[in-house]
Amino acid sequence: MPFPMVCRTRPGRGGEQVSLSLMLPSALSPGEAAPDAPWEGFRHEELAPGGDKGGETPPLSGGVGALGALSADGRRCQHGRTRRLASPLLSPQAAAPRAPKRPKQRPAERGGAGPGSTAGSARGAAPLPPPPPSGLPRPCVRFKCGLAGPVLDVLRRRPGWQQAKDEEEWDFLWCDVSWLRENFDHTYMEEHVRICHFRNHYELSRKNYLVKNLKRFRKQLEREAGKLEAAKCDFFPKTFEMPSEYHLFVEEFRKKPGITWIMKPVGRSQGKGIFLFRKLKDIIDWKKDGVRADEQKDETQIETYVAQQYIENPYLIGGRKFDLRVYVLVTSYIPLKAWLYRDGFARFSNTRFTLNSIDDHYVHLTNVAVQKTAPDYDPEKGCKWMIQQLRQYLTAKHGPGSVEVLFADMDNIFIKSLQSVQKVIISDKHCFELYGYDILIDRDLKPWLLEVNASPSLVASSQEDYELKCHLLKDTLHIVDMEGRLTGKEKRVGGFDLIWNDGPVSREGNLGTPVNGNFMANTHLGCYNDRKQQLKQLFRTLSAQQTV
C-alpha cells in the first residue's frame, strides 16, 4: 500500500530553502477546530519571541514562508499546508492514490472533536532548525488542539504557529487524556515533537494511585533516611481504597467513632459522586455493590472510590471554606525538572462552613462546577481570590514568618509528590505535564494535599480568570520552547520559577553553581508576577547572545 508524502523545508548551505520529502504510514482520525471561547473578544498584550507585543508582531513574509517551495513529490508547502501539484517529477509510486483512511477514532470528550492525526501522527520531517537570524521568518510550528477556550486561543495567536488540518501532521499536540489513552502507543513521533501529557500520568493524578505511591515513598524514606525525613510526607489525610481495602477501613473507622469521612470516586472530577458520612450504615448500600460475585462484575463494573478522613478544622475566611489551585509544570522526570507558577487562586464555598449539615455540597465542596449552581451564587463576584490576595491576607493576620513556613510546606508537597512517582512515570522526552494541585489549609496553617489534576480546568469563569490562564499557557509554551530559543540554564521564564532541577534550586546565583551561605529555595508562589518585564528582558538577552 503506498504511503503519503510528508513535505518539509529547511535552510540549505547557501541560505536558500531546500525541500525534503519522506514517506510515512498514515491513518486518519477525526478532529475539527474547537469553537472559539466566550472570552475570545478580550485583547491581551503579550510579549512575543523576538518582539515587544504578540499582538503587534507582523505576519511572516518572504522566503518559503510566503511563496512556498515545490518539493520533489510535486506538492507546495505553505506554512504547514500541502497540496498536490501536477509535476513531471512525480514517479508512479508518488503519484499513486493516498492510503485509504482507517476507521475514525472516537472524538475527544471535552471541547469538541479530538485532534486529528495521521499514522505516525507527528511529522516525519527532520527536527526544527535553529531560530533564524533576526528579520527572517521563523520555522512554522504546526499544532493540534482538542480543547476549546484559552488554550486554543493562545495556540492560535502564537507567532509562527499554525493550526494543522485533520490530515496534516503536527509538531505540537494539546490533547485530553482520552485521546492519549487511545492513541499514544500507536503514534510515531520525531525528535522535536511535543505532547502535553506523560503516558502514565494517572500514577499521580488518579486518587487511589496517588495515595499508594505516597505511602510507598514514605516507607522508602523511612528505611533510607529515617523517620524524621519520612514525616515530611505526612501531608495527605488517612485514605483507603474502596472496596478493596474495606476491612482495613472498618478497623480504622472503629478506632475513631464519630469523626467525618469523605468518599470520592477515583476517576471523576468537578465534585461528581462525592459524599460525606459518619456511620458505616451510610455506605452499606455502596459496600454491597462493591462485593458482588465475580460472575456479576462483568455486567456492572464496580467504580473504585477512596474513603478519606475529612479535614474537620479547615481555615475559614469570612466563615467560608476554601482550597487552593496551584500550577506545577514538569518537563522531565528523569532527571526531575519542575517549575512552579507564581499565580494561582483560592476557591471559596458559597455557604458558611458547618459540620451540622454534611449533606450540603455548597458547604463542603469548593469546586467551581458545584458552587456556580448554588441558588444565591453571584457570577460577577464569583468565588475566587487570586493567590496573591490570600498571601497578603494571611501575612497581615499571622505575620510573614508563619506564612513563609506555610508556603515552604506547600513547596515540600509539590516536590515529595513528584518524587513519589519519579520511578514509575514513563519519562518520555516528547512529553510535558501541567499539573493542577489542590491544597487545603487547616486552622493550624498546615497544608494538606487533596488531589493532583493532570487536566486542570482551563475554562475561564471571568475575565480575570481568562487572563490568568492565558498567561499560564503562554509561559508554558515558552518553557516547552518549540522554537529553540532558551539555553536550558534559565531559573525563571515568565511567571514560572524553576524549583527542582535534579535537586533543589537556589534563589541566588546561576543554575548549577554552588551556593555559599544560607540556602533559599527559588520559589515565589503568591508573590508579585512581573512576567511581561521578565520575558522582555529574557528574550532581549537571548537575542544579544545569538548575535555575538
Side-chain angles (χ1 to χ4, degrees):
M1 182 178 295
F3 295 145
M5 304 293 293
V6 177
C7 178
R8 184 62 186 273
T9 59
R10 61 185 303 179
R13 291 183 179 179
E16 74 281 4
Q17 297 291 331
V18 178
S19 181
L20 304 176
S21 295
L22 296 175
M23 288 194 294
L24 290 177
S26 315
L28 181 66
S29 62
E32 298 295 338
D36 291 338
W39 306 101
E40 175 71 31
F42 293 144
R43 181 178 183 274
H44 299 277
E45 295 182 343
E46 169 62 24
L47 181 69
D52 291 330
K53 296 176 181 177
E56 300 174 1
T57 303
L60 301 180
S61 61
V64 175
L67 301 178
L70 190 64
S71 66
D73 69 334
R75 286 189 285 174
R76 188 175 299 276
C77 301
Q78 293 181 328
H79 290 307
R81 298 185 180 90
T82 59
R83 58 187 178 93
R84 185 168 294 282
L85 302 177
S87 170
L89 297 177
L90 284 174
S91 64
Q93 292 79 10
R98 294 178 63 91
K101 298 178 180 179
R102 295 182 182 176
K104 290 189 175 183
Q105 306 274 357
R106 179 170 63 84
E109 297 173 353
R110 296 172 55 194
S117 61
T118 56
S121 290
R123 298 167 66 183
L128 290 176
S134 178
L136 295 179
R138 299 181 184 88
C140 177
V141 177
R142 299 181 188 182
F143 73 87
K144 288 202 173 185
C145 179
L147 305 178
V151 60
L152 185 59
D153 296 344
V154 168
L155 290 170
R156 284 174 171 172
R157 295 170 184 168
R158 191 166 180 85
W161 288 48
Q162 188 172 58
Q163 190 166 5
K165 303 298 182 183
D166 287 348
E167 298 188 33
E168 289 183 326
E169 295 80 11
W170 43 267
D171 304 303
F172 181 92
L173 175 62
W174 198 291
C175 65
D176 62 10
V177 294
S178 64
W179 184 96
L180 191 84
R181 189 166 51 244
E182 296 172 4
N183 298 279
F184 189 91
D185 290 338
H186 312 291
T187 301
Y188 171 76
M189 288 185 281
E190 284 292 325
E191 180 80 16
H192 66 281
V193 171
R194 295 294 179 268
I195 187 170
C196 69
H197 293 293
F198 286 94
R199 175 64 184 88
N200 56 337
H201 59 87
Y202 47 79
E203 293 286 353
L204 185 63
S205 59
R206 194 172 169 92
K207 299 178 185 69
N208 54 335
Y209 293 165
L210 169 64
V211 172
K212 284 182 179 180
N213 285 315
L214 286 172
K215 289 179 178 178
R216 174 188 49 78
F217 185 63
R218 191 190 188 286
K219 291 179 180 179
Q220 176 187 335
L221 285 179
E222 187 170 352
R223 288 194 308 267
E224 298 176 356
K227 293 184 178 180
L228 189 61
E229 186 67 22
K232 294 181 180 179
C233 288
D234 294 338
F235 50 72
F236 59 99
K238 190 157 291 187
T239 307
F240 299 89
E241 181 178 331
M242 307 284 274
S244 62
E245 296 180 335
Y246 177 78
H247 297 292
L248 294 176
F249 161 71
V250 170
E251 289 182 13
E252 184 66 27
F253 182 90
R254 288 171 176 167
K255 291 179 183 177
K256 301 177 181 178
I259 68 171
T260 307
W261 293 78
I262 184 169
M263 288 280 283
K264 303 176 183 179
V266 301
R268 290 197 258 176
S269 60
Q270 298 182 334
K272 297 175 183 176
I274 296 178
F275 63 93
L276 279 67
F277 66 96
R278 292 198 183 104
K279 299 178 181 179
L280 282 178
K281 69 180 183 63
D282 294 336
I283 59 168
I284 196 67
D285 293 336
W286 180 91
K287 194 262 182 182
K288 287 180 179 178
D289 291 338
V291 293
R292 293 190 189 95
D294 291 340
E295 61 271 13
Q296 294 178 314
K297 290 184 179 179
D298 292 338
E299 299 177 7
T300 306
Q301 183 64 38
I302 298 172
E303 184 175 14
T304 304
Y305 273 66
V306 291
Q308 196 170 70
Q309 188 172 331
Y310 186 65
I311 307 299
E312 296 183 323
N313 63 331
Y315 192 97
L316 305 179
I317 296 180
R320 289 169 172 80
K321 178 184 175 181
F322 67 92
D323 68 359
L324 304 181
R325 169 57 58 85
V326 183
Y327 297 100
V328 176
L329 174 65
V330 177
T331 54
S332 169
Y333 270 99
I334 301 177
L336 180 60
K337 190 168 187 177
W339 303 74
L340 176 63
Y341 203 61
R342 296 189 173 199
D343 293 343
F345 50 85
R347 305 178 299 184
F348 285 81
S349 63
N350 200 53
T351 307
R352 296 179 68 88
F353 181 80
T354 176
L355 288 173
N356 296 328
S357 55
I358 62 174
D359 295 328
D360 191 342
H361 284 186
Y362 299 129
V363 173
H364 301 283
L365 304 185
T366 61
N367 308 72
V368 176
V370 173
Q371 294 299 324
K372 68 181 182 182
T373 63
D376 55 346
Y377 176 76
D378 187 344
E380 294 185 2
K381 294 181 179 179
C383 53
K384 292 182 180 179
W385 265 16
M386 291 293 289
I387 203 165
Q388 284 84 354
Q389 294 175 267
L390 177 67
R391 183 159 187 161
Q392 291 174 0
Y393 175 89
L394 295 174
T395 300
K397 191 166 184 179
H398 301 282
S402 298
V403 176
E404 285 287 345
V405 172
L406 167 63
F407 278 75
D409 289 342
M410 282 194 277
D411 295 338
N412 173 70
I413 291 178
F414 308 140
I415 298 302
K416 288 291 189 291
S417 60
L418 293 174
Q419 288 178 328
S420 73
V421 297
Q422 186 177 6
K423 294 182 179 180
V424 295
I425 291 281
I426 302 171
S427 187
D428 191 322
K429 61 185 176 183
H430 299 101
C431 304
F432 67 94
E433 194 92 48
L434 180 62
Y435 292 109
Y437 275 74
D438 291 345
I439 306 291
L440 178 72
I441 302 172
D442 67 17
R443 293 175 192 167
D444 300 322
L445 294 185
K446 174 181 172 61
W448 296 88
L449 175 61
L450 299 182
E451 62 180 295
V452 183
N453 299 275
S455 296
S457 173
L458 296 174
V459 177
S461 58
S462 65
Q463 181 177 357
E464 183 180 43
D465 196 35
Y466 181 84
E467 291 174 351
L468 183 154
K469 289 172 180 175
C470 281
H471 294 164
L472 168 72
L473 291 164
K474 289 173 183 177
D475 293 344
T476 298
L477 297 181
H478 290 325
I479 291 176
V480 174
D481 194 26
M482 293 294 293
E483 298 87 351
R485 301 183 309 274
L486 303 182
T487 65
K489 298 181 179 180
E490 292 81 7
K491 294 200 298 184
R492 183 187 175 190
V493 176
F496 276 107
D497 296 291
L498 183 63
I499 60 172
W500 195 268
N501 186 38
D502 201 22
V505 179
S506 172
R507 192 175 301 184
E508 306 296 332
N510 296 323
L511 188 64
T513 59
V515 179
N516 297 323
N518 294 330
F519 175 85
M520 293 185 64
N522 186 43
T523 174
H524 302 271
L525 178 62
C527 297
Y528 177 61
N529 188 4
D530 56 338
R531 54 178 298 278
K532 293 184 70 172
Q533 292 83 350
Q534 195 276 337
L535 287 171
K536 186 174 182 179
Q537 178 62 37
L538 173 64
F539 288 126
R540 182 185 293 125
T541 302
L542 292 173
S543 179
Q545 291 174 351
Q546 291 175 359
T547 57
V548 174

